[in-house]
Amino acid sequence: MHRFSAFRAFIVFGTLLAGLAPRPAAASCGSASCFLVTHAEEGVQSAGSVQVDLSYRYLDQTKMLDGSESTDVVLVPKINFEDQTIEPDHHQEISTRNTMVLLGIAYGISARLSVFGALPLSVGKAHEHYDDAGTPEQTFTNADGTSGFGDVAAGVRYALLVKANDLLMGSLSVKAPTGAYKLLDSEGAINEPTLEPGTGSYDELITLYYVRHQFPSSFEWFVSGSQRFNGRNSLDYRIGDETVVAGGVGYAAGERWVFSLQANARHAGRDDYNGQGVPATGSDSVSLSPGIRFAPGKELELYAYLQFPVYQDVNEAQLAPRTGFVVGLSKRF
């Protein structure tokens, strides 16, 4: 594997870790995840080698949209699991701020085949809204946020084509419902699905990734596509499926620095509860994401990426991401 592999996994929400992050589909309580993933999620390891990746991820979801237009009021439903109903316009959204500490591990079985896993050690969702919005009983609350261990994912990755200038890779992964998804809100009811650390469902993800590097040029480009199939949990709630396409370029400045820019497009389907489409869920978006990587020593890399949405279109009115970032380090053994 050549030195410039640092850019080989800029795929965004729809890659392997999309299933582990807070739900990428904008939903009733505005949960989302950064469009960024790191090179730990792509590339195959040398046989017998191990890669460990530790990252911190943050997403500020405070933009209020109605379709693709700004709005001053975002009224969203509540999923009443006790009565098995959807209560429309239940509360007015203000903000959701998502954080995650994510540990990724990959092991090379052969020069082309690797197995990998990812553990969301801490998933946090700080949330603010008004109950009984527009009535004399309107009250502010910030007590419905949650935190905890998230949903673990595991999978296999195989290099379908390996040439001097080309790499084509595919991966399959499954997310298991290891995170809590029945935590209670401040009123003692089961919290909104998008505010839980986990989803309660088994999900599958398939990804194809192609990268081209014409040596000895310092530039590299890639294209990728992924499809996520989300399952239904025991509460009869199902997050909408997700499709992601991405492309980008990277530039290696010497042996230590890599600068990159990627464009990411995502379609998130509408959620479903008890056979009904859930209002204020599902969206389309495009983001630009600059990034930088630094290798201070052998087999160690530090990285930082930013995300800036340039187009967003949501179903009904929702909170949407304003900006996000990922910082972390990756070590090979």
Side-chain angles (χ1 to χ4, degrees):
M1 185 181 300
H2 55 75
R3 170 64 184 84
F4 197 68
S5 62
F7 190 64
R8 287 185 171 173
F10 285 54
I11 297 190
V12 306
F13 269 131
T15 58
L16 135 76
L17 294 181
L20 301 175
R23 275 293 117 189
S28 59
C29 276
S31 178
S33 67
C34 208
F35 273 40
L36 304 170
V37 290
T38 70
H39 78 292
E41 288 80 56
E42 292 300 331
V44 289
Q45 311 301 310
S46 302
S49 69
V50 175
Q51 178 171 304
V52 177
D53 186 89
L54 183 66
S55 64
Y56 175 82
R57 301 166 182 242
Y58 172 83
L59 189 73
D60 180 344
Q61 198 164 6
T62 56
K63 185 185 295 185
M64 299 182 184
L65 293 181
D66 186 345
S68 59
E69 303 295 327
S70 297
T71 184
D72 295 327
V73 178
V74 173
L75 293 173
V76 301
K78 174 180 175 59
I79 309 301
N80 189 326
F81 290 108
E82 289 75 16
D83 295 337
Q84 297 186 347
T85 59
I86 301 175
E87 301 177 8
D89 297 341
H90 179 270
H91 53 277
Q92 180 180 337
E93 296 293 295
I94 302 174
S95 68
T96 302
R97 291 178 171 86
N98 302 272
T99 61
M100 177 187 291
V101 177
L102 185 65
L103 175 64
I105 302 174
Y107 175 76
I109 295 177
S110 71
R112 290 198 174 201
L113 179 66
S114 292
V115 293
F116 59 85
L119 294 82
L121 303 178
S122 175
V123 176
K125 303 184 182 184
H127 180 68
E128 299 177 329
H129 70 253
Y130 287 105
D131 282 324
D132 302 314
T135 72
E137 291 76 32
Q138 176 174 300
T139 55
F140 169 82
T141 179
N142 60 1
D144 289 341
T146 65
S147 63
F149 189 83
D151 290 343
V152 170
V156 296
R157 185 180 302 126
Y158 186 75
L160 301 167
L161 173 67
V162 180
K163 292 186 176 181
N165 300 320
D166 305 274
L167 173 67
L168 175 63
M169 189 165 48
S171 66
L172 295 171
S173 61
V174 175
K175 180 189 73 65
T178 55
Y181 67 101
K182 296 181 181 179
L183 297 179
L184 304 183
D185 61 21
S186 57
E187 298 179 345
I190 295 177
N191 214 337
E192 294 297 310
T194 51
L195 291 180
E196 302 282 2
T199 68
S201 65
Y202 286 93
D203 307 331
E204 296 82 38
L205 178 70
I206 181 171
T207 299
L208 282 176
Y209 176 85
Y210 172 77
V211 62
R212 171 76 173 179
H213 187 163
Q214 186 66 49
F215 290 101
S217 170
S218 296
F219 286 94
E220 184 173 73
W221 61 269
F222 84 95
V223 293
S224 69
S226 66
Q227 179 66 45
R228 173 174 298 282
F229 303 96
N230 293 318
R232 188 177 298 273
N233 65 23
S234 65
L235 297 172
D236 205 16
Y237 195 93
R238 180 181 178 276
I239 301 291
D241 291 342
E242 178 187 80
T243 303
V244 174
V245 293
V249 295
Y251 174 75
E255 292 296 319
R256 293 178 176 245
W257 295 92
V258 177
F259 301 92
S260 61
L261 179 66
Q262 58 180 296
N264 322 122
R266 175 180 60 92
H267 169 74
R270 188 182 293 276
D271 295 0
D272 176 278
Y273 174 61
N274 205 18
Q276 304 177 66
V278 179
T281 63
S283 64
D284 295 295
S285 60
V286 178
S287 291
L288 291 178
S289 305
I292 185 170
R293 307 187 65 84
F294 174 64
K298 186 177 181 181
E299 307 298 343
L300 174 65
E301 288 188 308
L302 309 177
Y303 55 84
Y305 305 114
L306 297 177
Q307 178 192 24
F308 302 101
V310 295
Y311 171 79
Q312 295 167 302
D313 187 9
V314 303
N315 292 331
E316 294 80 52
Q318 301 181 35
L319 291 180
R322 188 175 299 276
T323 187
F325 69 83
V326 176
V327 294
L329 59 86
S330 181
K331 174 69 174 176
R332 292 177 185 268
F333 299 92

